[in-house]
Amino acid sequence: MIRKCLFPAAGYATRFLPATKAMPKEMLPIVSKPLIQYGVEEALAAGLSHIGVVTGRGKRAIEDHFDINYELEHQIAGSDKEMLLDDIRHLINECTFSYTRQTEMKGLGHAILTGQSLIGPEAFAVLLADDFCVSDGDGVLAQMVALYKKHHCSIVAIEEVAKEQTANYGIVSGEEISPGVIRVEAMVEKPLPEEAPSNLAIIGRYILTADIFDILESIPPGRNGEIQITDALNEQAQQGKVIACRFNGRRFDCGQIQGFVEATQHVYESLYQQGENYPQEVIDRIPS
Ligand code: G1P
């Protein structure tokens, strides 16, 4: 069983400056909920209630968010604003949160290795909060956990991207073993379009078996001189131990301004459609 989900959250988001000068990018809100809260909701919905966060300098707001704020909660107790905290209270009640700091930025693989002390010797999930995913049915991580129960190996979520975009992603290739499920044969981190083995891009959802930590410790730096999770997974893929899944749902790249705006628009429209779930004063603020 997978119980834990790791959130690498130490990186800067220079694209969003000045918003991210003193605020973690993971706290940028899509309408009124921070990106990382959507991620924790997705993890909990997949049955993963042990949340580990790899943080860094200037990220303290994340810890405060997943905690009680007595003064504020006392202030709004009994008012119709109280329900705006229902979702976060649910997460605080149902999940445990632990944190560790990454002191140097040496890549996603290095961030995951830093999280080893929060995970221990068991398979776990990794969620990159700036890949914001929505789906009508099960969330992406829940879909991956279901696949893990069948295959018991590392799993990455993938989607097709335009060929000229391959240099922004880890790219996989392999053989389709059932509809939407690929046994991965090769993985390359951010290849140029002419070197890419396919246009199947990894998005920020992973299930990793515990041996990934030993591999991460031994591999040399890869693309950009950083320790890459894609390179570590490629070692597992050489032994047939990585599955890629085309998930059901839609992903917004909230690491980019355009994706962030599109996600905001999407959530705003669905909030508006479910307006009756929100207090009247919130609905009043939504222009018709
Ligand atoms: C990371 C990974 C890359 C993956 C991407 C998904 O890159 O290194 O393999 O495709 O996340 O968002 P980053 O976007 O952090 O540069």
Side-chain angles (χ1 to χ4, degrees), residues 108 128 130-131 168-171 189-190 201-204 206 228-230 251:
L108 179 56
L128 307 183
D130 53 13
D131 276 331
N168 296 322
Y169 298 96
I171 300 291
E189 178 67 4
K190 303 196 170 100
I202 302 168
I203 62 133
Y206 302 80
Q228 299 294 351
I229 188 63
T230 306
R251 165 237 178 204

Side-chain angles (χ1 to χ4, degrees), residues 8-280:
Y12 305 121
T14 46
R15 280 195 197 95
F16 285 88
L17 284 170
T20 49
K21 183 164 173 270
M23 181 181 77
K25 63 173 175 164
E26 294 77 14
M27 290 299 295
L28 287 170
I30 301 295
V31 185
S32 57
K33 193 183 282 186
L35 274 169
I36 192 163
Q37 184 177 336
Y38 287 104
V40 174
E41 286 176 357
E42 185 184 323
L44 182 60
L48 316 180
S49 59
H50 294 252
I51 306 299
V53 190
V54 179
T55 66
R57 285 179 293 280
K59 300 280 187 168
R60 217 169 276 170
I62 296 176
E63 292 183 48
D64 289 340
H65 186 69
F66 294 108
D67 194 2
I68 304 286
N69 179 339
Y70 285 109
E71 279 164 44
L72 170 75
E73 294 183 33
H74 176 73
Q75 192 85 35
I76 63 173
S79 79
D80 62 356
K81 289 183 193 148
E82 217 182 342
M83 66 179 296
L84 296 174
L85 293 178
D86 284 354
D87 291 352
I88 184 71
R89 280 182 176 158
H90 178 66
L91 295 184
I92 293 168
N93 288 338
E94 297 296 319
C95 298
T96 60
F97 295 86
S98 49
Y99 301 87
T100 190
R101 280 196 179 210
Q102 187 184 11
T103 49
E104 292 171 291
M105 301 300 137
K106 290 202 248 168
L108 179 56
H110 180 256
I112 292 171
L113 188 55
T114 304
Q116 182 175 14
S117 59
L118 307 178
I119 300 296
E122 59 186 283
F124 62 103
V126 172
L127 191 152
L128 307 183
D130 53 13
D131 276 331
F132 170 69
C133 295
V134 292
S135 56
D136 289 335
D138 285 346
V140 182
L141 272 186
Q143 295 169 38
M144 294 169 76
V145 166
L147 259 186
Y148 178 81
K149 286 180 182 155
K150 203 166 155 202
H151 294 278
H152 294 282
C153 66
S154 290
I155 302 175
V156 293
I158 51 165
E159 69 176 13
E160 280 180 36
V161 295
K163 193 80 183 168
E164 56 275 17
Q165 292 285 317
T166 58
N168 296 322
Y169 298 96
I171 300 291
V172 309
S173 64
E175 187 201 344
E176 191 149 7
I177 54 174
S178 58
V181 179
I182 290 164
R183 171 86 58 197
V184 178
E185 286 158 11
M187 307 182 71
V188 194
E189 178 67 4
K190 303 196 170 100
L192 294 171
E194 55 273 25
E195 290 158 6
S198 78
N199 65 339
L200 298 175
I202 302 168
I203 62 133
R205 302 289 184 279
Y206 302 80
I207 287 179
L208 302 171
T209 50
D211 57 316
I212 202 76
F213 292 124
D214 287 341
I215 303 173
L216 283 169
E217 253 167 20
S218 66
I219 56 168
R223 180 73 64 196
N224 300 329
E226 297 176 333
I227 304 293
Q228 299 294 351
I229 188 63
T230 306
D231 296 343
L233 278 163
N234 194 37
E235 301 241 328
Q236 292 184 331
Q238 298 315 304
Q239 298 161 31
K241 292 181 178 166
V242 181
I243 296 278
C245 94
R246 292 175 199 258
F247 61 96
N248 292 320
R250 181 170 173 200
R251 165 237 178 204
F252 296 90
D253 179 2
C254 291
Q256 309 270 354
I257 303 277
Q258 187 184 338
F260 183 82
V261 172
E262 286 168 3
T264 303
Q265 179 77 21
H266 177 89
V267 172
Y268 171 79
E269 280 166 9
S270 38
L271 270 187
Y272 184 59
Q273 280 158 15
Q274 304 162 8
E276 65 275 12
N277 295 331
Y278 274 74
Q280 192 56 44

